[in-house]
Each structure stands twice: as C-alpha cells, then as structure tokens.
Amino acid sequence: MQDRKPQQIARELALLSLSQLPVNPKKLTEEHLPKLVLATVRTLRAEVQDTLDNAAAELQRSNDRILTSQTRASDISTARNMLQEAIEYTQTAINQLGAALEFPELIQLANQDKEVGKYAIQIVKVVNEERTTIDERIASALVDWQVNRLAQIDRDILRIAVGEMLFLGLPDSVAINEAVVLAKRYSGDEGHRFINGVLRRVTEQKKTA
C-alpha cells in the first residue's frame, strides 16, 4: 500500500466523519467535533474487526467444504462442485481481508499524529459551518442536477474540496486532485470523473467571478 501524507489521511477521516453530521449544521457545537472524529475512528476499528471475523468464517467454510469433498462426495462431479464452492469461499475471504487492510493506516495515524486529527476537525468544521456557501458553489457548477440529489459520498467529497478551496487555502488544482483520489477510493466507477468535472467548473466560475 502506498504511503499517504497526513493531510490525505485527515481528508479521508473527515469524509467518513461527515456522514455522521446532523442535518441541521447549527446542532454541532465546537466541543462535539473531536468526539465526532474519534467516534469515526472507533467505528472503523470495529468494522475492521468484523471484516476479519467474517474472513475467518469464510475460510472455515472453505476448509469444511474441502474435507467434505474428500470424505463424503459420492462421485468426481460432486467433489469438483464442493471444491469449487471452497474456492469461492476462499476468494470471498481474500476480498474481505483486502478491504480490512484499507483502514489500519488511517486508524493508526488518526490516533498517533495530532496533525491528522486537527486537520480532519478543521475540514469537518468548515463543511458544517459554511455548508450553505459551499453548496451554492457546487449547485452553480452542476448541470441539470441538484446538490441534495447527489449520492452522499459524492456530495461530501465535493463539499470537502470546495471547503478547502474557499476556506482552508488549498490551491484549486490540489483540491481537485485530492478529491479525485478520494472518489476513486469511495465513489462509483464514474464518480471520480463526475467530481473532477464539477470541481473544474467551480474553479472556472471562481476565476470569472
């Protein structure tokens, strides 16, 4: 896995935290921000453990199927089918292990690097407090679409990028690139292209404003 910079980890942590924001931004107080990010880290830790447990269960199913194919299969065709099922269980376990490996770096840095948590909180705070302004910028760059109809993950990635551009001093090109990276990790197959297009229109409108 490629090492990522603390700000990239913070951005990802902020993205995962935004799903827990209240619908009404005013309901989130200053003291709740660190607790929100901490809760996200704890949730990730629990998800990793659940994924590992599920992978272990799939491997056990695979092992049981292999033993059954050796001792109870009445013919070669039945044994072959049982082995195929065992392979499928093993593949599922491998996929689950791959998913589990995505989060330990994020959890570790969020716990050990104060800058990660600090910047994640800054992002969440900006998106929460400046949501109206940020959403207006996004809405003006959307073509035949509305902000509230976007998939939540795409909307939050856009909010982070625009928030960093407008309020945290991140250069537009960097904000776009980082948003595309997040979209490739969390959005659908076409999500990163859509987000890239919207953010480029946001920056064009900034220049002409």
Side-chain angles (χ1 to χ4, degrees):
M1 184 183 296
Q2 184 178 4
D3 290 338
R4 287 174 288 159
K5 297 178 181 178
Q7 280 201 348
Q8 291 177 315
I9 298 292
R11 200 171 284 112
E12 185 172 343
L13 183 57
L15 174 65
L16 298 173
S17 298
L18 287 177
S19 63
Q20 303 180 53
L21 280 178
V23 176
N24 183 354
K26 295 180 181 179
K27 291 183 178 179
L28 188 65
T29 63
E30 190 80 18
E31 65 181 20
H32 287 148
L33 286 167
K35 294 178 182 178
L36 180 71
V37 174
L38 178 60
T40 299
V41 173
R42 288 174 175 168
T43 299
L44 287 175
R45 189 181 294 117
E47 288 180 1
V48 169
Q49 186 59 57
D50 288 345
T51 302
L52 291 175
D53 291 344
N54 290 336
E58 293 294 337
L59 288 174
Q60 184 60 52
R61 291 190 188 96
S62 175
N63 184 60
D64 292 344
R65 215 60 182 148
I66 290 173
L67 289 176
T68 300
S69 72
Q70 294 173 340
T71 59
R72 298 184 182 179
S74 58
D75 52 51
I76 293 178
S77 178
T78 301
R80 185 182 296 113
N81 289 336
M82 289 181 177
L83 286 173
Q84 181 60 41
E85 290 177 0
I87 292 170
E88 290 173 358
Y89 287 137
T90 301
Q91 185 60 55
T92 299
I94 291 171
N95 292 340
Q96 289 173 336
L97 288 171
L101 290 174
E102 290 292 319
F103 294 118
E105 180 190 23
L106 187 152
I107 294 171
Q108 181 181 5
L109 280 176
N111 287 329
Q112 295 181 359
D113 191 327
K114 292 182 180 180
E115 292 304 312
V116 168
K118 182 179 178 181
Y119 193 61
I121 291 170
Q122 279 185 283
I123 293 173
V124 174
K125 180 180 179 181
V126 162
V127 171
N128 183 64
E129 295 181 352
E130 306 293 343
R131 192 183 302 180
T132 300
T133 300
I134 291 170
D135 283 359
E136 287 175 353
R137 291 296 186 101
I138 295 171
S140 67
L142 292 173
V143 178
D144 298 327
W145 206 252
Q146 297 176 352
V147 175
N148 59 8
R149 292 184 60 194
L150 296 174
Q152 180 173 335
I153 197 71
D154 292 343
R155 183 170 62 242
D156 287 342
I157 291 173
L158 287 169
R159 283 172 169 168
I160 288 173
V162 175
E164 287 187 296
M165 288 179 192
L166 298 181
F167 302 102
L168 295 177
L170 193 69
D172 293 352
S173 59
V174 177
I176 292 173
N177 290 338
E178 293 299 323
V180 168
V181 170
L182 276 179
K184 287 180 177 179
R185 288 173 64 81
Y186 288 98
S187 187
D189 292 338
E190 298 298 320
H192 69 280
R193 294 187 180 89
F194 169 75
I195 285 169
N196 180 66
V198 173
L199 292 176
R200 291 196 179 280
R201 285 192 292 273
V202 169
T203 58
E204 289 169 3
Q205 290 173 357
K206 280 178 61 183
K207 294 175 183 177
T208 58

